[in-house]
Structures are given as structure tokens and as C-alpha cells.
Amino acid sequence: MDYTTLGKTGLRVSVAGLGCGGNSRLGMGAGKSMEDAAQVVRKAIELGVNYFDTARNYGTEPAVGAAIKDVPRDSVVISTKSTIKVDGVRYTAAQVLDHLNNSLKQLDTDYIDVYMLHGVAPVDYDYALETLAEPLLKERDKGKFRHLGITETAPRDPTQEMLQRAVHEPCWEVAMLAYHMLNQNARTKLFPHMLEKGVGTLLMFVVRNIFSVPGLLEKTVADLVKNGDLPDDFPNKDDPLGFLVHDGGATTILDAAYRFARHQPGADVVLFGTGNPDHLQSNIDSILKPPLPDADVTMLHDMFGALTTVGLDSPDSMPKPK
Ligand SMILES: NC(=O)c1ccc[n+]([C@@H]2O[C@H](COP(=O)([O-])OP(=O)(O)OC[C@H]3O[C@@H](n4cnc5c(N)ncnc54)[C@H](OP(=O)(O)O)[C@@H]3O)[C@@H](O)[C@H]2O)c1
């Protein structure tokens, strides 16, 4: 495993981080048990992963909590999070602090490494900053968590307006953002500023559905051409990213997706979600490989750099938080 420093938090983290949400939720999204999910976390630890991202909403905090019992607490870095509203109604600060306490219970741990506000839309950012951050920082000072972070809602904020504001606010030490081969907005709009301010970055949507559901990439590109977002003469619509797979390049499109994100300057942890041990291994293998050839990365920048709303699907349904 390769390790890096998560921005100004100083935490040493694996460059491959296990996302315990997304549609997979450690396999629980496909009906696997909590114990199966905990086994995925244990296997990831064996492979050198030390970063685990969960959330109150994912229903996977107990699986993470059970798995990390086997190792010294300070050998793993755990983030979890609370949304800031439900059914259009904002949570009060007291409710968010209840969520924090409940996450400590669900994870069965004394402290959380990174506590994050989850999926904050631009319209709610002022509320997050002015009403929720200070009470949370008081809990941090009591030792309940170490670092405060914030995550965007990619489907509802595709141009990343919220994080373009949050990057300038020192209380958010970590940010989670969407970045992938057909969604490169952050390359110019966020990463340079996050590097400058020392904000630790967690990348999501690196694969999501667009690169894992067969046929979706091809359909997406065909629609982009039809809508005029890509040129009419776009080459090879039946295999739009096939040019990335060659000797000395990527082995598969998924391999390309992980390597493209991992080697983006300013990217700290590439999150990936899975409930499948084979996917766990192959995703880590890809994340640890060298960058894609420069010419391929330049092609991706030139072909897709202007797109902003692609491959940012909303999650399938999540369980009701306990
Ligand atoms: N706003 C937020 O805070 C927010 C939003 C979204 C995500 N996240 C975080 O980011 C993490 C990553 O989520 P994501 O949405 O970017 O998507 P993702 O979890 O990376 O999605 C990958 C999907 O592809 C499948 N997959 C994984 N590896 C594969 C492989 N090698 N071959 C074929 N299929 C593969 C997975 O299912 P299998 O089980 O079949 O492998 C999963 O359904 C989440 O777990 C969560 O921690 C946070």
C-alpha cells in the first residue's frame, strides 16, 4: 500500500480508501449481511487499507466498528458523517450532535478521526458554517472527533459551488468531492485551492455506475453527442474510452478510472466501494499502479474537460438511520 498525508490533518492515510456507502455499502446494498460487510473491511485492512469512510445513513457503521476491533484503534482512520437535513427540514445543531454521539455508539469507538457534514448543498452551506460548525468544534475539543470535514452532493451541485466556498474556510480540514474521467471540474476549480489551503481530499464517484454498469458509458457518450455536449464526429462511440487500453496503458476502463483519479495532483484518498473481495483486490492493484501515459491523460483532458454533469447519479435507496 502507498500512504500519504491527508492535508493539514497530518493523518497518514492509505491512498486507497474503502467507501462503505455508495450503492454497494460493503455488499449490504446487494443483500449481504453485516458480518459479510465486516469481512470486507477486515480483508481491506489485511491489504493495507487504513482509511474507511462510512456515514450514519449507510447502515455500515456497525460493520466497520466490528472489524476495527481486531486492530489497534490508531492503526485505522475512520470518517463518518451526518446529513444536515431530512425531507427538506434542517436538523438543529442539537440533532446533529445526537447523530455524532450515535455514530460513536454504532462504531463502538471512543473517537472518530474525521467527522463530516454529509452532502451539503450550496443553499445549505451558510447554515452548515454559521449554525453547525461551532457546536461541532466544541465536541471535537472534548475529544469526540479529531477533524471536521464536509462533503458535497454531486448530483445536486455538479459545478461544485459549495466546495468552492468551503475551501476558504479553515474549519473544514477535509473535503469529499466527485472526480472522474468525464467529470473533471475539480481539476481547475478545486484541487489547486485545496492544495494551497492544505485541505485533505477524499475522491468519490471515481467509478460509481458510469464505469461499472455494462453499457452505461457508451449510452452516456451517445447522449452527450446527441445533445451537442460532445462533437458529432466523436470517434468510436461504441467504445469511447477504448484508446486507453493498450500496452503500457490501462488494462481495463476501470483500471484507467482509478489511475486517472489517483494521480491527479491534490488527490489524497481515492474512495472505492465494493462488497466483492475480487473487486477489492483489483481496485487496490489499479490505485497502486503508475499514472496513465501522459498522452492518454492529455486526451482525456481535451475530450472531456468541459463536461460537468456526467456520471453523477443519485444513490439507490439507503436504509433508515438507527
Ligand atoms: N456525498 C457523499 O458524502 C458521498 C456520496 C457518494 C459516495 N460517497 C463515498 O464514496 C464512496 C465511493 O462511492 P462511489 O459512489 O464513488 O461509487 P463506488 O462505491 O466506487 O461504486 C463502485 C460500484 O461499482 C462496483 N465495483 C467496484 N469495483 C468494481 C470492479 N472492480 N469491477 C466491477 N464493479 C465494481 C461496486 O459494486 P460491487 O459491490 O459489485 O463491487 C459499486 O457498486 C462511497 O462508498 C462513500 O463512502 C460519499
Side-chain angles (χ1 to χ4, degrees):
M1 181 54 63
D2 292 338
Y3 297 88
T4 189
T5 301
L6 186 61
K8 61 189 170 186
T9 68
L11 293 166
R12 287 298 287 172
V13 290
S14 51
V15 296
L18 186 62
C20 306
N23 289 332
S24 181
R25 295 191 294 111
L26 299 174
M28 292 175 71
K32 292 207 176 157
S33 69
M34 194 71 81
E35 181 46 33
D36 293 336
Q39 275 305 110
V40 176
V41 177
R42 290 190 187 101
K43 176 84 184 147
I45 293 173
E46 270 172 45
L47 295 173
V49 173
N50 81 344
Y51 198 98
F52 298 90
D53 175 65
T54 181
R56 172 175 186 268
N57 280 16
Y58 297 164
T60 53
E61 287 175 324
V64 174
I68 65 171
K69 282 275 174 278
D70 307 347
V71 295
R73 176 64 185 85
D74 63 1
S75 66
V76 287
V77 177
I78 307 296
S79 55
T80 190
K81 35 195 166 357
S82 168
T83 52
I84 71 169
K85 67 183 187 187
V86 65
D87 299 332
V89 180
R90 287 175 178 160
Y91 289 125
T92 63
Q95 285 174 307
V96 172
L97 300 191
D98 274 353
H99 297 167
L100 165 64
N101 289 328
N102 194 51
S103 286
L104 284 162
K105 234 185 263 164
Q106 297 287 320
L107 284 159
D108 194 14
T109 185
D110 295 336
Y111 68 92
I112 289 157
D113 297 279
V114 182
Y115 195 68
M116 312 187 88
L117 294 180
H118 190 172
V120 176
V123 66
D124 295 318
Y125 178 70
D126 286 336
Y127 181 73
L129 179 64
E130 289 162 15
T131 307
L132 302 179
E134 201 183 306
L136 277 167
L137 291 171
K138 286 193 182 139
E139 299 304 294
R140 178 198 64 184
D141 295 345
K142 291 181 199 162
K144 291 189 183 175
F145 67 94
R146 301 259 157 100
H147 306 279
L148 186 61
I150 191 159
T151 84
E152 68 181 1
T153 166
R156 288 184 290 133
D157 183 15
T159 50
Q160 305 181 299
E161 305 302 323
M162 188 283 290
L163 284 179
Q164 290 183 59
R165 293 185 60 198
V167 68
H168 299 290
E169 183 52 56
C171 70
W172 316 114
E173 292 181 77
V174 179
M176 191 187 295
L177 59 127
Y179 189 66
H180 68 71
M181 294 188 289
L182 272 67
N183 177 63
Q184 304 173 22
N185 188 63
R187 190 157 59 85
T188 51
K189 296 283 175 28
L190 288 178
F191 286 120
H193 308 291
M194 294 199 163
L195 271 170
E196 189 199 326
K197 305 278 181 184
V199 177
T201 59
L202 310 172
L203 273 54
M204 59 177 172
F205 284 80
V206 170
V207 164
R208 194 79 166 183
N209 294 329
I210 188 169
F211 302 120
S212 68
V213 174
L216 188 56
L217 171 65
E218 295 75 5
K219 180 182 178 316
T220 303
V221 167
D223 287 347
L224 288 166
V225 172
K226 199 159 73 190
N227 295 338
D229 296 316
L230 287 175
D232 272 346
D233 58 353
F234 187 87
N236 211 355
K237 289 188 215 47
D238 295 337
D239 187 13
L241 295 183
F243 70 90
L244 296 170
V245 179
H246 58 88
D247 275 356
T251 50
T252 63
I253 304 299
L254 251 96
D255 180 60
Y258 285 123
R259 292 164 68 182
F260 175 78
R262 157 74 182 100
H263 295 286
Q264 164 60 39
D268 293 330
V269 177
V270 171
L271 292 174
F272 65 93
T274 190
N276 177 324
D278 294 338
H279 292 171
L280 178 71
Q281 179 73 62
S282 66
N283 295 346
I284 292 172
D285 291 347
S286 291
I287 291 169
L288 295 182
K289 282 189 203 167
L292 298 173
D294 285 348
D296 291 351
V297 174
T298 302
M299 286 271 275
L300 287 169
H301 291 167
D302 291 349
M303 289 164 99
F304 304 115
L307 302 174
T308 48
T309 55
V310 180
L312 304 178
D313 331 59
S314 296
D316 294 349
S317 66
M318 292 276 172
K320 259 212 162 347
K322 291 213 175 80

